[in-house]
Structure formats: C-alpha cells, structure tokens
Amino acid sequence: MWNKKFESMPVEDLQKFQLEKLRETVAWVQKRVPFYRKKFKEAGVKPDDIKSLEDVAKLPFTVKTDLRDEYPFGLCAVPMKDVVRVHASSGTTGKPITGPYTAADIDMWADCMARNFAAAGVSAEDIVQNAYGYGLFTGGLGFHLGASTMGCTVVPTSSGLTERQITIMKDFGTTVLCCTPSYALTIVERAEEMRVDLKALPLRVGIFGAEPWTSQMRKEIEARLGIRAMEAYGLTELGGPGVAFDCEAQQGLHINEDYYLAEIVDPVSLEPLPLGEKGELIFTSLQRRAMPMIRYRTKDITRLYREECSCGRTLLKMDKVFGRTDDMLIISGVNVFPSQIEALLLEIEEVEPQYRLVVRKKGYLDQLIVQVEGKKEIYDAGKEKRFEVEAKIAGHIKGSIGITVEVELVEPKFIARSEGKALRVVDERPKQLR
Ligand code: DLL
C-alpha cells in the first residue's frame, strides 16, 4: 500500500476523520464561494448543522450545469494566484467545465494516483507507458503524476499514433500500459496487424479507466494482451482519476475515502439509498481547496459496499460503473444500459469486441440497432452465415434482457477505432423526440 495509514485505517477512525474534513470543507466554501452560500441559504442549512456524516444529506446537490453556469472560475474558492493548474473537460455539449488545483490539491492527487499504481502491483522498477491523452484532460497528467511520484520510468506517449505506441512498447520494454480500455483494444489489434505479439513482451499490467467497461471486456483485454487489467475511476469535477481504484482482488474499486465522501441516491427521487443498493453515485470532496465539490451528482450508476478485502484495505468499495444515467436507453419501456449489451456480445464467439448502438425512431417506437463486427472468417463466410449469427445475437439479447433489437453484423474495421473514450451510442432520433 502506498498510504497504509489511510488505506487500512479502522472504519470508525476514518469516519471521524471524514466528519472533521466535511465540516471544514462546508465552512470553507460557505465563506469563499457565493454560489454555495446562496444554495446553503436556500436549503436552510448552515455549516454548524453538520454534526454527523449522515447530515451530509442536508446539503444541496451540485450538478454539471452548475459548473457550466459558473464557467470558468465561479466555483473557485481561492484567489487565482493560489491556483497552480487548470484542467478541463469538454463533455459532449456546451461549454467546458474547469478543474482548478492549488499546489496542495496536486499533492493530494499524487497521493491518490500513487495508491492506484501501488494497488495495481506497480513499483519504481516499472516502465510506465502513459497513453492517456496529455493536455486539458486529467488522464494524461494525472497518471503521469502518480507514476513519477512512485519513481517509475514514465514514457509520456499520450494517446494516438498507435504504431509508434507499439514500437516504443517493444523497444523500451514497457511493463505497464495506461490508457482507456477501448484504446487498449485498438493497440492490441494494431499489434496483431504488425505481427507483434504483445504477450511475448515484458508488458504485465494495464491501468484502464475513463469509460465504462464490463468485467467481460476486462477478461478479453487480459487474454489478448497477456496482462492483468486494473482499473482507475474519477472525473474532472473531482480532480480527475484517483477517486477510486481496484486492487489485487479485482472485485470492486476502493474509494479514497479520506479525500471523497461517497453516497448513493435514487436518481429520480434523489433520496439516499443504503449500502448495497444500486443508484447514482454522489461525491463530496473532503480536502480539495481550489474547487471543492459538495454532493456532486456524477450520473454514474453503481453500488457501494463495505467488506473485508483480501488486500487489507478498509476503504469503502464501489462496483464497476454500470453506466451513466445519460447513456440509459429506454427500448419498448425497458431501461437498457450499453454495458448490458456489451456483456452479452462478449459471450458470442463469432464477433469482435467492437460494437456500436444506434437508436432510431420507427413510427412511434424507439428501435435499437446493435452493430457489431463479425470475425473476419465469419463475415467472409457469406450472407447466410451472417444472418445466422445476427439471429443468434438477437435471440441472446431477447432472452437475457427481454428487448427486441436489430443486429447488424458489420465487416471488420467498420466501427471507428477509439484512441480515448469510445463512442458507444449513436442517437439518430430527432432531438425533440428523445
Ligand atoms: O475520465 C478521468 C479519468 C481519466 C478516469 C483516466 C480514469 C482514468 P472525465 O473526462 O471528466 O474524467 O470523465 C468522467 O468518465 O463520470 C464516468 O462516467 C467515466 N469514467 C471514468 N472512469 C471510469 C471507470 C475522466 N473506471 C466520467 N469506469 C465519469 C466507468 C468511468 N466509467
């Protein structure tokens, strides 16, 4: 463990620490950020009302549009002279949101990221190829910070130029690869074309994140790269990757609870849900200074649970993210997340793990088209074989989630390859009908 004191602290002590930091954070933003002052007043809550961790529920939520409305630095709690870095996330629509850091915030980030690397079994001996995008995106510099804090040899390739990634991997003897899971697949596919056997290289660990991916996808990546695929979770609004990470048990991600207080709420009623129930993940930052977040609604759907972990960490766990509330599709009245379809597609041996979900209107109904690449020999076997596989997949999806989808077995390489976050859902419905 990188920070044994906090990672394995008895839960009672940890919660005492969290309460102290929560009270500090609430007082900090009340004093310095007009936005929070106004929201607290409207909610009729004062910093002194926070007497237990449960009292966090008295505080108002913060949502992405608040960050957009306050763009660029309306939520900043320190003068700009104390801000040493600004990251940003463009999102898919509208103005970007910003993530400012003080020097102390950067130190905390380094601690969180070093924990992530240590839990993945990485040490100063490792050569870390960082293929997350460098720049405003928090992935590149966040992983860079963690790996350098740990004393690893960092190779800052950034994302893209896939052939060069593979050459470097081979020439430098890279042992750890950091990128999105979808980019890992792009890399392995390109390597196969270049006749480079990644399994024969010293590469042994990957730390993947920044987009939802199923356990089935993890297994596929582990098998094709011959590595252990570990995970990182985080978001720009909370300082980027380093919010949660998985350990050798690979069974859920530990949340850095000394820095982040997590809750699960019902995404519709917004009522807090008990541990173990699936809902929307909410975070309050506990030590960030430049832009603390109070009850930030992540839109990520997961479950929280506390259990004794074989790794010895006492930190709360979250399940792999199931999906985002904004990616949820409603097909014939059934709620469907892309991850459910991904898990089913990966059980079909005739296809590649490359897919896209297209949503169209057919009359009044929403129609879901699952485009998935057939393996070359299957696709080349002709129309009849393709129909057979399409019917097999449609039947598998119907049998498992009860929805009727149209399956299009597309030719190899039909789906655009990802260098960062994969685009899984293409919504072709007219905007006003979504
Ligand atoms: O993606 C930060 C990050 C970089 C995390 C590198 C991990 C590795 P944003 O661009 O702001 O920040 O996107 C945040 O990405 O709310 C989730 O929906 C999704 N996400 C991030 N990590 C995971 C993960 C970075 N491990 C949004 N599993 C989040 C599923 C993830 N979804």
Side-chain angles (χ1 to χ4, degrees), residues 79-92:
M80 283 315 275
K81 74 169 176 44
D82 293 341
V83 172
V84 301
R85 174 98 60 86
V86 181
H87 282 280
S89 136
S90 56
T92 42

Side-chain angles (χ1 to χ4, degrees), residues 89 132 137-139 143 208-213 231-237 240-241 253 298 300 321 324 421:
S89 136
Y132 282 109
F137 177 51
T138 53
F143 275 79
F208 305 120
E211 62 184 2
W213 56 313
E231 179 156 5
Y233 168 87
L235 47 158
T236 314
E237 297 86 326
L253 289 84
T298 62
D300 291 324
V321 172
R324 290 181 55 80
K421 296 180 190 248

Side-chain angles (χ1 to χ4, degrees), residues 23-160:
R23 290 171 52 92
E24 267 176 40
T25 300
V26 173
W28 180 266
V29 297
Q30 158 88 15
K31 193 161 161 213
R32 291 154 200 259
V33 187
F35 165 87
Y36 283 118
R37 217 161 26 237
K38 182 163 167 267
K39 293 252 290 202
F40 291 172
K41 197 169 171 204
E42 282 164 9
V45 57
K46 292 189 294 301
D48 279 346
D49 295 338
I50 308 299
K51 297 196 165 65
S52 70
L53 282 181
E54 289 71 40
D55 287 339
V56 72
K58 296 180 176 162
L59 297 167
F61 292 102
T62 308
V63 294
K64 200 175 219 112
T65 47
D66 293 329
L67 276 87
R68 294 227 166 97
D69 295 345
E70 296 293 326
Y71 174 86
F73 300 124
L75 289 183
C76 206
V78 298
M80 283 315 275
K81 74 169 176 44
D82 293 341
V83 172
V84 301
R85 174 98 60 86
V86 181
H87 282 280
S89 136
S90 56
T92 42
T93 48
K95 275 189 244 164
I97 55 126
T98 55
Y101 302 70
T102 62
D105 291 339
I106 298 273
D107 290 346
M108 292 176 216
W109 198 15
D111 181 28
C112 289
M113 287 311 299
R115 293 181 193 186
N116 203 152
F117 276 101
V122 177
S123 73
E125 316 271 300
D126 278 295
I127 301 182
V128 177
Q129 185 163 333
N130 186 11
Y132 282 109
Y134 278 67
L136 285 176
F137 177 51
T138 53
L141 284 158
F143 275 79
H144 188 106
L145 182 62
S148 14
T149 301
M150 182 154 254
C152 306
T153 308
V154 189
V155 187
T157 47
S158 195
S159 62

Side-chain angles (χ1 to χ4, degrees), residues 244-257:
F245 57 93
D246 73 348
C247 62
E248 65 205 28
Q250 288 185 319
Q251 248 155 30
L253 289 84
H254 289 286
I255 294 171
N256 281 315
E257 273 189 288

